[in-house]
C-alpha cells in the first residue's frame, strides 16, 4: 500500500504551505506540480519533504495533473489523491478518500461539494447526476486506484477537461466509484479556472467533449 497525494499549483504562494503540511501528514508521498508559477510557490514548496516537479512552461491544470499522476504511478503508488493548492479542500477528509480505495476496494472516489461555484458546473452536475448518479465530477478532490489508471489507454487528455478526464474514462470503462461529501473552505484569490464568461464556456466545452 502506498498512498500518494498530487497537488497541481499555479501562483498559490499564499496557501500552498498549509496544504502541503497537511498532505504530508496523510500520505506516504506528496507530489507538487508547479505550473511555472510567477510568484514564490516554488520556494515555499522547497521547504518541505515533497517531490517537486517544475513545469518549464505554463501547461495548465489538466496537464499538470497528468504529470503528477504519471510520476506517482512510477513511484509505486497504489492510490492517488488529487487536491487543489488553494486550501479549499478539507484535509481532514483525506484518510476517508484513501480508505475507500485501499480498504473498501473502489476504483474511484469523487469529492462532492455542497454547492457549485459556477452555472456551468451546475449544468455539468445535472448531466452526470442523471446519467450516472454523480453529483460533482468537476470537484478537484478525487482519489484513484493506481492499478485502474494503469489500465487506461492514456493518462492525459488531448483537450481541456477541467480535471474530469481520468474520472470519466474510469466511469465509462465500468469501474466502481463512489462519492464523499466535502465542505469546501472559502478561497482567497482567483480560482484556477476564473469566474469569467470564458471560464464558463471552457467548462461547458469540457462537458461536451468528455461525454
Amino acid at each position: 500500500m502506498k498512498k500518494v497525494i498530487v497537488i497541481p499549483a499555479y501562483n498559490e504562494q499564499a496557501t500552498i504551505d498549509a496544504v502541503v503540511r497537511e498532505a504530508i501528514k496523510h500520505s506516504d508521498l506528496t507530489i507538487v506540480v508547479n505550473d511555472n508559477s510567477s510568484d514564490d510557490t516554488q520556494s515555499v514548496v522547497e521547504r518541505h519533504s515533497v517531490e517537486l516537479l517544475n513545469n518549464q512552461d505554463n501547461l495548465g491544470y489538466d496537464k499538470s495533473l497528468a504529470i503528477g499522476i504519471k510520476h506517482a504511478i512510477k513511484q509505486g503508488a497504489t492510490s492517488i489523491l488529487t487536491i487543489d493548492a488553494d486550501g479549499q479542500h478539507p484535509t481532514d477528509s483525506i484518510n476517508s478518500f484513501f480508505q475507500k480505495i485501499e480498504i473498501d476496494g473502489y476504483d474511484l472516489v469523487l469529492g462532492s461539494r455542497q454547492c457549485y461555484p459556477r452555472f456551468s458546473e451546475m449544468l455539468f452536475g445535472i448531466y452526470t447526476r442523471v446519467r450516472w448518479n454523480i453529483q460533482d465530477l468537476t470537484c478537484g478532490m478525487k482519489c484513484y486506484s493506481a492499478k485502474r489508471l494503469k489500465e487506461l489507454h492514456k493518462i492525459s487528455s488531448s483537450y481541456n477537461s477541467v480535471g474530469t478526464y481520468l474520472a470519466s474514462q474510469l466511469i465509462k470503462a465500468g469501474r466502481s466509484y463512489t462519492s464523499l461529501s466535502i465542505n469546501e473552505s472559502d478561497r482567497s484569490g482567483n480560482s484556477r479556472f476564473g469566474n469569467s464568461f470564458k471560464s464558463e464556456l471552457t467548462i461547458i466545452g469540457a462537458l461536451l467533449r468528455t461525454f
Side-chain angles (χ1 to χ4, degrees), residues 8-153:
Y10 177 65
N11 290 347
E12 298 287 5
Q13 65 177 19
T15 54
I16 189 69
D17 183 76
V19 173
V20 168
R21 286 179 186 276
E22 290 300 315
I24 290 171
K25 294 178 185 177
H26 299 288
S27 67
D28 299 305
L29 173 66
T30 295
I31 299 168
V32 177
V33 184
N34 173 33
D35 195 21
N36 198 237
S37 297
S38 58
D39 66 357
D40 290 330
T41 293
Q42 179 177 340
S43 61
V44 172
V45 175
E46 286 174 341
R47 302 171 191 164
H48 301 279
S49 297
V50 302
E51 294 206 16
L52 174 62
L53 308 178
N54 289 305
N55 295 341
Q56 296 305 305
D57 298 299
N58 181 245
L59 302 179
Y61 183 74
D62 266 30
K63 290 184 179 179
S64 295
L65 270 181
I67 288 168
I69 289 172
K70 287 177 183 177
H71 189 70
I73 291 172
K74 287 181 181 178
Q75 297 304 309
T78 55
S79 53
I80 303 169
L81 175 75
T82 62
I83 59 174
D84 291 348
D86 58 12
Q88 286 192 283
H89 293 151
T91 53
D92 58 0
S93 297
I94 289 175
N95 288 339
S96 297
F97 277 76
F98 278 131
Q99 180 176 314
K100 288 292 182 182
I101 300 291
E102 299 286 2
I103 306 301
D104 298 342
Y106 284 98
D107 299 318
L108 170 67
V109 187
L110 303 162
S112 181
R113 296 165 293 182
Q114 302 305 302
C115 61
Y116 303 106
R118 302 173 187 82
F119 176 73
S120 53
E121 291 186 74
M122 183 185 71
L123 290 180
F124 215 123
I126 291 172
Y127 180 84
T128 56
R129 188 162 58 248
V130 169
R131 186 166 180 182
W132 290 295
N133 195 31
I134 294 172
Q135 178 174 325
D136 193 3
L137 197 63
T138 54
C139 177
M141 192 171 191
K142 300 181 178 75
C143 199
Y144 306 88
S145 161
K147 176 183 176 181
R148 294 308 186 194
L149 290 180
K150 287 187 284 187
E151 294 172 353
L152 295 177
H153 176 63

Side-chain angles (χ1 to χ4, degrees), residues 154-179:
K154 60 179 182 177
I155 297 296
S156 57
S157 63
S158 58
Y159 62 95
N160 185 355
S161 77
V162 295
T164 64
Y165 176 76
L166 288 177
S168 68
Q169 294 304 300
L170 291 176
I171 293 165
K172 289 190 283 189
R175 300 307 180 192
S176 60
Y177 58 88
T178 189
S179 296

Side-chain angles (χ1 to χ4, degrees), residues 193-206:
F193 297 130
N195 295 299
S196 65
F197 180 67
K198 182 179 179 181
S199 67
E200 298 276 14
L201 291 179
T202 297
I203 295 170
I204 292 173

